[in-house]
Amino acid sequence: MILVLKSGLSKEKTEELCSFLEKKYGIQTNPIYGSETTIVGLVGDTSVVETEAVMMLEEVERVMKVQEPYKRANRKFHPDDTIVTVGNAKIGGEKIVVCAGPCSVESEDQVLGIAESVAESGALLFRGGAFKPRTSPYAFQGLKAEGLMYLKRARAKTGLPVVSEITNASQLELFIEFVDIVQVGARNMQNFELLKELGRIRKPVLLKRGFANSIDELLMSAEYIMSGGNNQIILCERGIRTFETATRNTLDISAVPVLKAKTHLPVVVDPSHAGGAAWLVEPLSKAAIAVGADGLIIEVHNDPKHALSDGQQSLTPEDFASLMKRLAPVAESIGRSI
Ligand code: PEP
Ligand code: MN
């Protein structure tokens, strides 16, 4: 339920109203102060709220019911776009933020070299997996804590904030120390215990859509994190599983405008895992920008042929540099920059 308050109501009066409603109905309130109008989102068991009585309150202009099960992530709760700021990156702002780096951290030299090169080409975030959720238990599982340490050195050298995937809540302390944005991978999108833990931290979370999950399920996963008080969430469309086998996954391009309509959270696209082939990264990136994505996550490897994971979809640093140049006019065509 959303209350639109009378225009010009003071912050003090709004706070008084919120505590009155919280005490009376045992719910939580979420005031959002706009330049003219303030709205208050009611969260919890709102079935006990007497709509008629609330409508009569002198501070209240209008009462709106929210049908969707996600509240804090809902654009109705928060009409303005959320911008997640990390280093020089404002994800959800005018500039399209590109995060680039290898699928897996393989060595210190590898990450330092790639990080320097992608920073020069215009990436604002650096990615690298240290805990790898591989389909086969015999495949490379990542350098773990050592890998996170190399990422921290890459950040010190280039100034680029780092993004890495967490696979278990027991790694949280390490991630708080070494990582700027905590990635939740497709395989863990509905690991609700992990999501609850991430709600308790105050670091941005990059939440990837599971390959067999609906858009509303993605939003409910964001809601899990937000219900713990962590509102800094970046959603990521990375392709879903369909009957089509020509590409690794099917990039659900419509998910971008649909998500942008349903939620105020920033939405980014991972063309590397969607297409599963280096040659598809460029067309999928262009499409993502054209439909309104706030950012891209692109796998870049110094030697894709010998990469320990996802070499087939990784660009070389040189290819990444020229891709960034070709994406610029697409961003400009929709009034954005990259
Ligand atoms: C990754 O980003 O390297 C990764 C494993 O992605 P996803 O969870 O989307 O498969
Ligand atoms: Mn990968």
Side-chain angles (χ1 to χ4, degrees):
M1 189 178 282
I2 290 172
L3 313 183
V4 180
L5 303 188
K6 294 250 168 73
S7 117
L9 195 75
S10 70
K11 193 160 185 218
E12 216 181 350
K13 287 264 180 220
T14 306
E15 281 167 2
E16 272 174 31
L17 173 70
C18 289
S19 58
F20 165 76
L21 293 169
E22 287 189 4
K23 279 199 200 95
K24 180 150 191 198
Y25 299 115
I27 46 145
Q28 292 160 272
T29 59
N30 221 26
I32 295 143
Y33 298 95
S35 53
E36 293 193 357
T37 314
T38 296
I39 68 171
V40 178
L42 307 187
V43 194
D45 180 12
T46 54
S47 63
V48 297
V49 178
E50 303 148 301
T51 316
E52 300 292 316
V54 171
M55 260 174 351
M56 302 291 283
L57 296 169
E58 60 172 356
E59 298 90 341
V60 177
E61 174 76 43
R62 213 154 27 100
V63 175
M64 283 155 48
K65 288 249 164 81
V66 178
Q67 306 298 344
E68 298 87 352
Y70 48 94
K71 311 288 179 197
R72 290 179 165 86
N74 202 313
R75 196 179 268 288
K76 287 181 192 153
F77 254 54
H78 191 292
D80 295 334
D81 288 341
T82 284
I83 298 179
V84 176
T85 303
V86 191
N88 290 330
K90 289 191 185 330
I91 308 137
E94 174 273 330
K95 197 174 167 77
I96 288 155
V97 172
V98 179
C99 171
C103 179
S104 297
V105 173
E106 297 174 9
S107 72
E108 182 170 2
D109 281 353
Q110 176 227 21
V111 285
L112 294 184
I114 302 174
E116 260 192 328
S117 150
V118 298
E120 238 168 71
S121 306
L124 294 179
L125 300 171
F126 185 63
R127 64 148 288 151
F131 293 86
K132 295 304 300 178
R134 305 302 300 282
T135 301
S136 163
Y138 308 117
F140 177 58
Q141 302 286 310
L143 293 183
K144 308 189 171 78
E146 188 189 344
L148 294 183
M149 206 168 64
Y150 298 154
L151 287 175
K152 192 172 179 176
R153 290 185 193 152
R155 176 180 57 196
K157 196 164 179 203
T158 60
L160 292 190
V162 297
V163 183
S164 200
E165 178 174 352
I166 193 167
T167 54
N168 190 295
S170 65
Q171 299 150 3
L172 215 49
E173 288 305 312
L174 277 174
F175 276 72
I176 288 169
E177 185 178 347
F178 290 105
V179 164
D180 299 289
I181 299 181
V182 182
Q183 176 176 325
V184 175
R187 291 155 191 81
N188 272 310
M189 189 205 88
Q190 285 191 315
N191 181 341
F192 300 119
E193 294 309 316
L194 177 61
L195 301 179
K196 283 187 223 168
E197 291 296 327
L198 293 171
R200 287 192 249 279
I201 66 168
R202 291 296 171 267
K203 253 185 207 287
V205 174
L206 173 77
L207 179 63
K208 295 185 104 178
R209 179 180 180 184
F211 37 70
N213 287 111
S214 67
I215 288 171
D216 277 0
E217 285 167 343
L218 171 62
L219 290 168
M220 286 311 287
S221 290
E223 192 77 13
Y224 257 97
I225 303 171
M226 296 174 92
S227 68
N230 186 356
N231 296 319
Q232 292 181 279
I233 300 175
I234 305 150
L235 302 173
C236 177
E237 162 58 37
R238 46 77 75 207
I240 50 174
R241 194 164 278 179
T242 67
F243 57 81
E244 182 55 72
T245 55
T247 50
R248 181 175 178 179
N249 291 286
T250 298
L251 177 62
D252 182 5
I253 201 77
S254 338
V256 178
V258 170
L259 281 167
K260 297 291 292 181
K262 284 175 173 258
T263 181
H264 51 88
L265 297 171
V267 179
V268 303
V269 165
D270 174 346
S272 309
H273 290 88
W279 72 273
L280 282 167
V281 172
E282 178 166 341
L284 298 185
S285 298
K286 287 176 170 167
I289 294 171
V291 293
D294 297 304
L296 298 167
I297 304 174
I298 297 178
E299 286 187 337
V300 177
H301 195 280
N302 51 313
D303 183 8
K305 276 201 188 69
H306 297 103
L308 296 181
S309 59
D310 287 350
Q312 77 291 345
Q313 65 196 33
S314 299
L315 301 184
T316 62
E318 297 72 34
D319 286 343
F320 176 72
S322 60
L323 170 71
M324 287 294 278
K325 291 201 182 89
R326 288 195 296 276
L327 295 182
V330 183
E332 280 155 26
S333 75
I334 54 153
R336 296 179 88 168
S337 61
I338 191 163

